[in-house]
Amino acid sequence: MNPILRQLGFAATDRVVVLHADDIGMCQATLPAYETLSTAGAISSAAVMVPCPWFNSVAEQCRRRAGDPQVDMGVHLTLTSEWDSYRWRPLTTCDPASGLLDGEGYFPSRAMPVIQRADLDAVRLELTAQVQRALAAGIDVTHVDSHMLTLFHPRLLSVYIDVARQFDLPPFLVQIPPGWQSDMGHDAETIALGQRLIAEAADAGLPIFDYFQVLSLADSEHRVAEMSALLNQLPAGLSIILFHPAVDTPELRALAPDWRCRVADYELFSGDLLPHLLADAGVQVIGFRALRDAIRDP
């Protein structure tokens, strides 16, 4: 049985899921989506992108709703900037030697340049600054996770875990099957390092997810069927379903080629069907706040 679920009082057969909204603050369209969904209790956690232009508005919303148990906000640690015409930069450096910049002075658009070239001290400094800025802005940070899963690579994973432990926060960590890592081009030594780091994190009492899935950013037409299938196939243990809700705005359409999927996520979680899907699947929903409180008071 997953140790964190045992600590929280669940049974070995329970299927427990975190419903997690990614990319909050990436653009303005994520703000009303987050407020609507979190106020309604339709999602159980979210994470803000601190380097992005709308971070301050997310922080203001969190301050305004301080003490609201529906506000479960983590830091979506960000080392990449993936759009063509809408970019963001590191908080801590403009030095190309850091490996955190592309030729235009923004974060690289893809994870691999960061994984291959980033200076680990520069990564640590940047991740720490992002968490510190969220805390200083008044966000009751519940966890950290990784934009585009960049920090899941074993070369960066130990820094990611160290920063989380520095702030006594749970990092989003998951048991990634070795076959998946082989498909991503990882060699045997890299795979073994990643498995060892996850095992060490578990031994240190950090929660490890058993399973995760991301709602499609390529197909917006079958959201209800997709979500129903995901919920019904969740295994016993701790799972997380990631999605990217945003309202439909001209800004969103202009910057994100996958805008239809982001709007579909918002419509799914703001509609009437989701509670029925959860009930029919027989899963239980928790947020990262419960995991954070469990590691702080074992």
Side-chain angles (χ1 to χ4, degrees):
M1 180 179 177
N2 191 309
I4 199 76
L5 293 185
R6 181 186 298 114
Q7 183 180 342
L8 291 172
F10 290 100
T13 55
D14 285 339
R15 300 156 66 231
V16 182
V17 64
V18 174
L19 301 176
H20 183 74
D22 260 358
D23 291 2
I24 305 304
M26 183 271 287
C27 64
Q28 191 277 336
T30 64
L31 271 69
Y34 172 70
E35 179 146 32
T36 297
L37 297 182
S38 60
T39 300
I43 61 177
S44 63
S45 73
V48 62
M49 298 177 70
V50 176
C52 292
W54 286 90
F55 163 73
N56 288 333
S57 292
V58 177
E60 188 281 328
Q61 185 180 140
C62 290
R63 291 193 303 270
R64 175 167 45 81
R65 298 175 61 190
D68 182 345
Q70 304 293 350
V71 177
D72 188 325
M73 183 65 75
V75 174
H76 198 44
L77 293 168
T78 301
L79 299 177
T80 52
S81 178
E82 66 269 34
W83 308 117
D84 291 335
S85 58
Y86 178 69
R87 311 292 307 282
W88 44 86
R89 307 172 189 268
L91 303 183
T92 57
T93 186
C94 57
D95 183 0
S98 67
L100 296 180
L101 303 170
D102 65 8
E104 297 179 327
Y106 299 101
F107 281 124
S109 61
R110 295 292 178 263
M112 194 51 65
V114 179
I115 291 166
Q116 293 174 335
R117 299 196 292 267
D119 177 82
L120 296 185
D121 289 337
V123 170
R124 186 184 301 274
L125 186 65
E126 178 65 25
L127 301 185
T128 300
Q130 291 182 22
V131 179
Q132 288 175 331
R133 178 164 292 185
L135 292 169
I139 298 176
D140 181 21
V141 177
T142 59
H143 71 284
V144 294
D145 54 48
S146 175
H147 186 49
M148 298 173 66
L149 304 182
T150 304
L151 294 165
F152 277 32
H153 191 279
R155 181 172 181 267
L156 305 179
L157 186 58
S158 61
V159 178
Y160 172 49
I161 293 171
D162 285 350
V163 170
R165 296 186 69 182
Q166 174 185 342
F167 293 97
D168 205 11
L169 295 170
F172 167 42
L173 297 170
V174 64
Q175 296 282 8
I176 299 178
W180 290 17
Q181 297 184 62
S182 296
D183 291 344
M184 290 186 287
H186 296 181
D187 59 27
E189 183 178 356
T190 301
I191 293 171
L193 173 60
Q195 290 178 318
R196 177 173 62 79
L197 292 171
I198 293 292
E200 290 174 355
D203 290 343
L206 295 178
I208 310 296
F209 283 80
D210 301 298
Y211 180 81
F212 88 104
Q213 274 291 351
V214 183
L215 289 183
S216 172
L217 285 169
D219 177 10
S220 63
E221 298 298 319
H222 306 97
R223 267 300 185 266
V224 173
E226 180 185 5
M227 188 65 173
S228 179
L230 283 181
L231 291 172
N232 283 303
Q233 73 186 27
L234 291 181
L238 181 61
S239 298
I240 186 168
I241 296 176
L242 308 177
F243 50 95
H244 303 83
V247 299
D248 188 357
T249 67
E251 177 203 36
L252 182 70
R253 291 190 181 208
L255 71 92
D258 57 15
W259 66 267
R260 291 178 179 84
C261 294
R262 294 171 185 267
V263 173
D265 284 349
Y266 171 68
E267 291 174 344
L268 170 66
F269 280 84
S270 60
D272 297 328
L273 281 176
L274 184 63
H276 300 287
L277 296 179
L278 292 166
D280 291 345
V283 300
Q284 302 186 63
V285 179
I286 65 170
F288 269 101
R289 185 180 303 279
L291 303 180
R292 184 197 67 180
D293 293 349
I295 69 168
R296 290 182 174 180
D297 186 19

